[in-house]
Amino acid sequence: ELEARAETLVCAYESASDKAQHAAADDARRALTDLAREVGTLNERGALERPGASASERARVLYLRGRLLEAVGVVHDAKSSLEGDAGPHEPGQSHGDTKKDISQKDTAEDLLKRAAKLDPALDGAWLTLAQTLWKKNDLQGARNCYDAVLARRPHKKALCAVSMLCRGLAKSRAEPGSDAQKHFVDESLAFAKAAVRLDVDDGHAWYQVGTATMSLFFARGATDKKTLLAALKAYENAAKGGPTGAGATDPEKHMRDHPDVHFNRAVICRYVERYGDALEGFREAARLDPALPTRQEVNAVLAALTKLDDGCRGAGATCKPKRVAAMARALREEDDALLPEKAESTFVTHEGTRYVTKRVSDLNDGVNVGSAVKARAVVDATATDAAGHNGGAEQLGALNLHYVAVDAAGARFAISVYGLEDGAVRMSSTLTLLNPDVRDVDVQWNGRRYAFRLLRVDLPKQILVGGKMPVGRIARPRMASTNL
């Protein structure tokens, strides 16, 4: 009975903390504190173990005591204790001292180690010991505990936890872009996928796949959009309880009421410039957890949309018709000088590949393979990203530059450039965009419509400035730093 009560309360506490349901988390924590006192009293009276108890029975008693002490001994939620190195908890934190009046001679670590030694097959002891060691920043010790469980059999909870641990190692123990970082992230994704294979309808396992995949995107250079879209799909599976939504009716399977799923998904939507989905995602995350830094994120998205929409509509002193017309005329004159006699179009050759020069209006939605667009930047529309995430996280938007440009036909459009540092694009130079990825942005938010054509360039080698690659201006990719 005591074990069942402990299991129920610990699960309730962890679930409420993950969902930022602070009142429910506080209630569960108080109940855990009461149960820990009750178990401590029974232990002092010698009422927990029957005479002649087997090693397995004694191990379960030690595990019960250790698990309760671990649950009430440190005041922060389960998620923060599992993701990254030990440190102060911010979102979802419950305040108050649950340790007072719980007098125990043994620490949770001591009890759990003894339990695992008495019964090496007691998975719960190993998993709780791993969490205890992780809070002490003993990451290798925690990894050894998870390995002890996984050496006997596949275990979904252990696989998810070690996936998180590997990402913590990638952030804290490896240099950005190093082989060591890539190794840790590859491991993280492999463990997360193994957890999904055990239960394809478990949203928590899919959440780990999504977060590991997003980390992989950055560790490998932040250039493969397909990887980011795979992370987005994994988060969608997490929210609905698997690819088919089979876990949608099981609150232990779906994660649609977890604010972090909506926050991280919105960050990816912002990065792939699905701005409407990003704004809706941040709004849902804020509804579920007002403590998340969603206001800064929304403001950054709206700042980018406003600058791009204003520029494409011709608003502002830098978009005066005469200035824009002069830029378009200069582009036409450049094309005429390069156009062979009787030819209908010009070509651009770069690194042995020939591209057909096109006007923006002639491009199709999606990636235009074999096409090139020549343009002049009219406005530097890069918005300052002041969104500071919890835990001193980095700015996701630091890899993205925005410009309003004009082509030879005089059409104004937006350019989104990834992988370059600010200042790489000279406003006076002709820009050549190779294989541009085209989409029409159309977003309505708070009574305003933002609508413009956007050309995205994912790789530095896809943009030429004055006919040359912007050498020395490549931005170093960084690990994604959302609320993981």
Side-chain angles (χ1 to χ4, degrees), residues 452-463:
F452 49 87
R453 173 151 280 203
L454 175 68
L455 275 63
R456 176 184 174 113
V457 176
D458 284 299
L459 302 173
K461 66 180 181 180
Q462 288 179 253
I463 183 169

Side-chain angles (χ1 to χ4, degrees), residues 78-99:
K79 171 164 54 62
S80 69
S81 68
L82 285 177
E83 187 71 44
D85 291 349
H89 172 61
E90 294 178 1
Q93 179 167 336
S94 299
H95 300 282
D97 188 359
T98 60
K99 292 187 289 184

Side-chain angles (χ1 to χ4, degrees), residues 43-65:
N43 180 64
E44 290 174 358
R45 295 174 181 172
L48 286 180
E49 288 186 15
R50 65 178 180 82
S54 67
S56 177
E57 291 173 325
R58 284 183 283 133
R60 298 199 71 85
V61 169
L62 292 168
Y63 166 51
L64 171 64
R65 293 170 57 202

Side-chain angles (χ1 to χ4, degrees), residues 263-276:
F263 187 92
N264 287 352
R265 181 178 178 276
V267 169
I268 295 180
C269 286
R270 177 185 167 193
Y271 198 88
V272 299
E273 286 153 335
R274 286 170 43 178
Y275 293 115

Side-chain angles (χ1 to χ4, degrees), residues 194-209:
V196 165
R197 286 194 295 271
L198 292 178
D199 187 353
V200 73
D201 298 324
D202 190 326
H204 299 271
W206 278 110
Y207 179 82
Q208 298 306 322
V209 171

